[in-house]
Amino acid sequence: FYIWEGKRAEEDEVPVLFKTGTDRREALMARIAAGHDYAVPAILSWPVEAAPDYLRWVGGATQVS
């Protein structure tokens, strides 16, 4: 439930977690926004701490070739 343009609204929503490096974050957020049908989708980002091996994997897995 939320208020949109002064009216109470209700939608089914599904939270999704995308994993990428900070160097790709802005591009990912822009792509999600462009394909979303909400005028103001909730696209959030926050810094994380993770095991070095995992961070290396994410970095390698998200490289643009």
Side-chain angles (χ1 to χ4, degrees), residues 10-64:
E10 177 182 357
E11 296 289 335
D12 291 330
E13 296 183 346
V14 177
V16 178
L17 174 66
F18 292 93
K19 303 170 194 172
T20 193
T22 55
D23 59 329
R24 306 281 302 141
R25 178 181 55 216
E26 293 299 321
L28 176 59
M29 293 173 82
R31 180 92 183 246
I32 293 167
H36 206 288
D37 40 331
Y38 281 11
V40 184
I43 303 171
L44 311 172
S45 171
W46 59 93
V48 298
E49 293 184 31
D53 288 344
Y54 181 76
L55 292 176
R56 278 190 292 278
W57 173 80
V58 169
T62 59
Q63 290 298 313
V64 177

